[in-house]
Amino acid sequence: MTVRVVVADDQALVRTGFRMILTAGGVDVVAEAANGAEAVDAVRRTRPDVVLMDVRMPELDGLEATRRILTGGPGAPRIIILTTFDLDRYVYAALAAGASGFLLKDVTPEHLVAAVGIVRDGDALLAPSITRRLVQRFANRDPETASMHRDLAALTPRELEVLRLLARGLSNAELAATLQLAEATVKTHVARILGKLGLRDRVQAVVVAYETGLVSPGSPSSPE
């Protein structure tokens, strides 16, 4: 099936360039938005699969637009945050709010098209080490001010082990090889972790792993 995408960015040149790249890659750009309010409205009108969301826009920024879209009920699209700066606190907040990953605006055309397909299929853009460095830098381990409050007591010892490794950015195949399990079993563990903790995807799981102290910067489970 063709992926349906909304592109939200306050720069017309960026929107036009991304539309051309995505269209050439077989992706259907169903709407464009110049600010967060327009993005929220476009999502309501067009029901896309994925939203490419600039994190810094006038009137309503990408962070608040992401929150409004993802709290809009069932069937919410996947959101990829667009940013100029990789270590950006706003980007981290968007990931904690449920965005499925982020891309720098100088992303290659091939990576852009591939990223849209990845998140549409339910995966998260976790592979780049920069994602982990972002979480390591901004994760708040103070229970009073943490972005995400989750009780890990509901997880079994095996699920905690999977969550620690998942926080390193390991894929299901890599998790299976490390734990000597079938990949289908790993998928079941990951699904149970997300379900028990009420998380949208693996990105939020990484945020929780750091903010609860299950994983800490510099530990064996969080290599640079």
Side-chain angles (χ1 to χ4, degrees):
M1 294 177 61
T2 301
V3 187
R4 293 164 49 82
V5 173
V6 167
V7 178
D9 194 290
D10 60 334
Q11 298 181 42
L13 190 60
V14 172
R15 296 197 306 273
T16 300
F18 276 24
R19 175 186 281 275
M20 291 175 62
I21 291 169
L22 293 170
T23 301
V27 175
D28 184 11
V29 178
V30 296
E32 296 181 15
N35 57 57
E38 289 183 9
V40 174
D41 180 64
V43 167
R44 289 172 178 162
R45 288 187 291 102
T46 64
R47 298 295 179 185
D49 303 301
V50 178
V51 180
L52 293 173
M53 180 80 75
D54 184 12
V55 73
R56 296 176 183 271
M57 292 186 288
E59 297 187 35
L60 187 72
D61 64 27
L63 171 57
E64 183 57 30
T66 294
R67 288 173 174 155
R68 294 187 186 184
I69 290 169
L70 295 181
T71 56
R78 298 278 174 171
I79 296 180
I80 300 174
I81 297 296
L82 302 174
T83 181
T84 305
F85 307 104
D86 46 19
L87 294 179
D88 187 328
R89 185 177 296 277
Y90 280 88
V91 173
Y92 175 77
L95 297 181
S100 296
F102 74 96
L103 293 171
L104 296 180
K105 289 188 180 181
D106 62 359
V107 61
T108 65
E110 295 79 10
H111 191 185
L112 176 63
V113 174
V116 167
I118 287 170
V119 300
R120 190 281 301 269
D121 292 338
D123 290 324
L125 295 178
L126 264 183
S129 61
I130 191 64
T131 300
R132 294 194 298 279
R133 293 207 301 274
L134 179 80
V135 175
Q136 288 175 7
R137 178 163 178 175
F138 295 116
N140 192 331
R141 294 165 192 82
D142 182 351
E144 297 299 321
T145 57
S147 300
M148 304 184 68
H149 300 273
R150 295 294 188 277
D151 184 0
L152 302 186
L155 302 183
T156 66
R158 174 63 90 182
E159 289 165 350
L160 286 170
E161 185 177 17
V162 170
L163 181 55
R164 286 192 188 95
L165 294 173
L166 188 154
R168 293 173 54 187
L170 270 65
S171 66
N172 286 341
E174 291 167 335
L175 284 168
T178 300
L179 299 173
Q180 297 184 323
L181 297 172
E183 191 168 342
T185 302
V186 168
K187 290 180 180 179
T188 299
H189 283 310
V190 172
R192 286 176 177 168
I193 291 168
L194 299 181
K196 287 181 178 181
L197 299 181
L199 304 175
R200 183 172 174 81
D201 58 28
R202 299 165 78 103
V203 172
Q204 285 192 314
V206 174
V207 172
V208 166
Y210 278 92
E211 293 206 338
T212 59
L214 180 67
V215 176
S216 59
S219 73
S221 293
S222 57
E224 289 294 332

